[in-house]
Amino acid sequence: MAKVYTMNEPPTDRPVRVYADGIYDLFHFGHARSLEQAKKSFPNTYLLVGCCNDEVTHKFKGKTVMTDTERYESLRHCKWVDEVIPDAPWVVTIEFLDKHRIDYVAHDSLPYADASGAGKDVYEFVKSIGKFKETKRTEGISTSDVIMRIVKDYNEYVIRNLDRGYSRKDLGVSYVKEKRLRVNMGLKKLREEVKKQQEKVEEKMQTVAKTRNMWVDNADRMVAGFLEMFEEGCHKMGTAIRDRIQEQLMVKDKDDFDDDDDEDDDDYYDASTDEDYDKGYDKRDIDVKE
C-alpha cells in the first residue's frame, strides 16, 4: 500500500516558491504542461526550474540529444518559468531547499530512482517533510517517445538530411549504406505512387459505376415516360381519325340525300299547264261525257 503524505500549509504573505526539476531534453508540450501545472499550483506562485547538466544526466540517465546549454535556453523561453537553475542536483537536499527558499517541489507522483542505486525514490525526502506538490503527466508524449519516432523512421530521416545538404560523413553513414538507402527509398516512393494510382483508378471505377446506375435509372424513367406519352398520343390520334371519318361519312350522307330530292323534283309532271293537252284532246272523251 502506497504511503500517504501530508502537505504543509503555503505561506500567505508572499509568493509561494515552487521548484520543478528535470532533464527537459527535446523540450515538448508535455514538459510545458507540467510546468504550467506547477505555476498554477497556487494563486501567487514564483516558479523555479532546475535542470541537470550533461555530466550528471549522462551518468544517471544516459545520453541526451541536446546539450545542457541548449536545454537551459529552452526553459528560459517557456512563459511559465520565472527562474532557471542550471547544474541542478539529481537529488534535492535540505541544503538546496534552504538555499533557494523553496516551499514546494512539484513533480508527478511516479517514483524515480536516486543516485544510491538502491532503487529509492528521489523525492522520498521531500514528500516526508510535506514539501511535495503532485502534478500530472501528459499521456502520449515524452522525450523517449519522440526519440522512438526518429529511430523507427531512421532511414527516412537520413535521406531527408542527405537531400538537405548534409554529407554521409555528417550522418555517420557509409557509402554503401547511403546507396542502399537511396535505392530502398526510391522503391518505397514507387510503391506509394503505384498505390495512389490504384486508389485513383478505384475511385474512377466507383464513379463510373455510380454514373452507370444513375444513367440506367434515368433511362428506365425516360423509356417509361416515352411509352406513356406514346400511348396517350396514339389514343388521341385514333380518336381524331375516328372523328374525322365519322364527319366525312355524315357529309357524304347529307350530299346523297340532297341528290335524291333533286331527282324527285325532275320526275313530277303538272298536266294542267300543258297547252298541247288542251288542243289535242280526244273528241271521243267529250262525247262520252256528254
Side-chain angles (χ1 to χ4, degrees), residues 90-116:
W90 188 257
V91 180
V92 176
T93 62
I94 189 65
E95 292 79 16
F96 183 82
L97 296 176
D98 292 341
K99 176 181 178 180
H100 296 283
R101 296 176 290 116
I102 295 170
D103 297 308
Y104 298 99
V105 176
H107 207 277
D108 63 79
S109 60
L110 293 177
Y112 287 82
D114 62 11
S116 65

Side-chain angles (χ1 to χ4, degrees), residues 93-229:
T93 62
I94 189 65
E95 292 79 16
F96 183 82
L97 296 176
D98 292 341
K99 176 181 178 180
H100 296 283
R101 296 176 290 116
I102 295 170
D103 297 308
Y104 298 99
V105 176
H107 207 277
D108 63 79
S109 60
L110 293 177
Y112 287 82
D114 62 11
S116 65
K120 294 181 179 180
D121 185 6
V122 171
Y123 300 102
E124 178 67 28
F125 166 70
V126 177
K127 293 175 181 177
S128 66
I129 61 176
K131 288 180 175 287
F132 186 78
K133 179 65 177 176
E134 182 181 351
T135 58
K136 301 294 183 182
R137 291 177 63 88
T138 300
E139 296 297 330
I141 183 66
S142 68
T143 299
S144 297
D145 290 337
V146 174
I147 294 174
M148 183 58 66
R149 296 177 196 176
I150 297 172
V151 172
K152 181 181 177 182
D153 297 321
Y154 165 77
N155 292 343
E156 291 187 29
Y157 288 114
V158 170
I159 294 298
R160 171 181 178 269
N161 281 5
L162 285 172
D163 291 340
R164 292 190 175 189
Y166 289 89
S167 68
R168 60 183 180 81
K169 291 183 179 180
D170 294 332
L171 300 173
V173 177
S174 68
Y175 174 82
V176 174
K177 186 169 185 177
E178 177 193 353
K179 298 303 178 185
R180 185 169 64 248
L181 287 175
R182 290 192 180 278
V183 170
N184 291 338
M185 290 303 297
L187 291 174
K188 183 178 180 180
K189 289 181 179 179
L190 179 60
R191 286 193 295 269
E192 291 175 352
E193 187 63 29
V194 170
K195 186 177 180 181
K196 286 182 181 179
Q197 294 301 324
Q198 288 176 340
E199 290 174 353
K200 288 182 179 180
V201 170
E202 289 177 0
E203 281 184 17
K204 293 290 185 184
M205 291 178 66
Q206 292 176 0
T207 303
V208 169
K210 290 179 180 179
T211 304
R212 176 184 174 278
N213 293 335
M214 291 174 61
W215 184 88
V216 170
D217 293 340
N218 291 335
D220 291 341
R221 287 194 291 270
M222 290 173 64
V223 169
F226 172 77
L227 291 176
E228 184 178 351
M229 292 175 62

Side-chain angles (χ1 to χ4, degrees), residues 62-119:
K63 183 175 177 58
T64 57
V65 177
M66 301 170 68
T67 65
D68 48 15
T69 303
E70 292 168 337
R71 292 185 281 116
Y72 302 153
E73 195 63 23
S74 297
L75 287 167
R76 292 190 182 100
H77 286 80
C78 178
K79 70 176 184 178
W80 309 114
V81 178
D82 295 305
E83 180 181 343
V84 175
I85 301 177
D87 303 315
W90 188 257
V91 180
V92 176
T93 62
I94 189 65
E95 292 79 16
F96 183 82
L97 296 176
D98 292 341
K99 176 181 178 180
H100 296 283
R101 296 176 290 116
I102 295 170
D103 297 308
Y104 298 99
V105 176
H107 207 277
D108 63 79
S109 60
L110 293 177
Y112 287 82
D114 62 11
S116 65

